[in-house]
Amino acid sequence: MRSLLLSSILLTGLLSGCSSAYKNLQQTNADVQCITKFRPQFTNTLYSTQVDVLKHHLSGLLFFKQMPDSSLRVVFANEMGFKFFDFEFTKDGGFVKHYMLDKMDKKAVVKTLRGDFELVLLRPDLSRATVKQDSNYHYVVVPTEKGNNYYITDTACQRLERIEKSSRRKPVVKVWMEHYTAGVPDTINIRHQGFKFNISLQRVQK
């Protein structure tokens, strides 16, 4: 009996560990396009920025600049002008790494940063998107190669609660963009769930 009980407990734990954090969401017919109103209107925007990666801490200024060809440059440097990275996100969804500090120039780091800022730019391909809901929120669900991106709003789609990049079962990155002024969020927070990789941005008013 004791053996059966232990086996039952272990099986229950394994099954619960494999369940999806999104399993209780219900399909709804809401408009997937409603989230486009939350797309940041970066033109020439500066943020005071803190980056924590494992035991490393970086601080400085992060600059979003809209270019004449409609691409967007994202540059992060310290207060003395020493550059950490310089990325370009093209109008058609492409990505160019113009510069990366040698110590940071690892494929996984570049890929992670690219993915994080693509969430912030909020330019998803909505052609296969659906909307699901629970009692409190609407979830615009955009399929990805390894899971989904969830753009989570209140039920009236008037407020962006957060963005979640998920695996098949659970969120792996969460993004909050809050206190929009003229289409630009004053604060942006990016939090990875499986390890310490956090980015915090506070808008600098010029």
Side-chain angles (χ1 to χ4, degrees), residues 39-205:
R39 182 177 298 154
Q41 302 302 305
F42 296 127
T43 53
N44 194 358
T45 312
L46 191 65
Y47 287 89
S48 174
T49 303
Q50 311 290 322
V51 178
D52 291 291
V53 183
L54 301 178
K55 296 181 180 180
H56 303 285
H57 176 79
L58 300 173
S59 64
L61 297 170
L62 191 138
F63 188 47
F64 292 96
K65 183 173 178 59
Q66 188 79 41
M67 306 304 290
D69 63 357
S70 295
S71 65
L72 188 74
R73 294 289 282 269
V74 181
V75 180
F76 180 38
N78 68 13
E79 288 81 354
M80 302 299 293
F82 182 82
K83 194 158 54 174
F84 298 119
F85 60 73
D86 179 355
F87 298 152
E88 177 182 350
F89 294 87
T90 64
K91 183 180 180 180
D92 61 0
F95 173 79
V96 180
K97 180 189 73 176
H98 288 284
Y99 175 80
M100 190 79 174
L101 182 68
D102 285 344
K103 290 182 179 180
M104 299 172 62
D105 197 5
K106 310 296 182 184
K107 185 176 181 180
V109 175
V110 175
K111 182 178 179 180
T112 298
L113 288 170
R114 175 184 179 177
D116 289 349
F117 286 111
E118 284 177 340
L119 291 175
V120 169
L121 297 182
L122 217 158
R123 299 175 178 174
D125 178 2
L126 297 174
S127 61
R128 295 191 297 135
T130 58
V131 182
K132 296 186 177 182
Q133 66 181 1
D134 58 21
S135 58
N136 298 310
Y137 304 115
H138 275 188
Y139 298 70
V140 176
V141 186
V142 179
T144 64
E145 182 180 351
K146 296 183 178 180
N148 295 300
N149 289 344
Y150 293 85
Y151 299 85
I152 305 169
T153 74
D154 65 309
T155 55
C157 198
Q158 295 300 309
R159 183 178 67 255
L160 179 66
E161 296 292 338
R162 64 187 180 278
I163 301 168
E164 294 183 358
K165 181 180 182 67
S166 80
S167 66
R168 299 296 179 189
R169 297 188 298 107
K170 60 184 180 180
V172 294
V173 183
K174 294 183 179 182
V175 177
W176 293 266
M177 297 193 289
E178 302 175 310
H179 310 301
Y180 279 68
T181 302
V184 177
D186 286 341
T187 61
I188 302 172
N189 287 291
I190 303 167
R191 297 286 182 269
H192 287 255
Q193 304 302 293
F195 62 102
K196 187 177 181 181
F197 195 147
N198 302 325
I199 305 174
S200 301
L201 299 94
Q202 182 66 51
R203 189 178 181 186
V204 177
Q205 300 294 340

Side-chain angles (χ1 to χ4, degrees), residues 27-39:
Q27 197 79 28
T28 183
N29 293 322
D31 181 15
V32 299
Q33 296 288 337
C34 81
I35 61 169
T36 60
K37 72 179 75 169
F38 305 115
R39 182 177 298 154

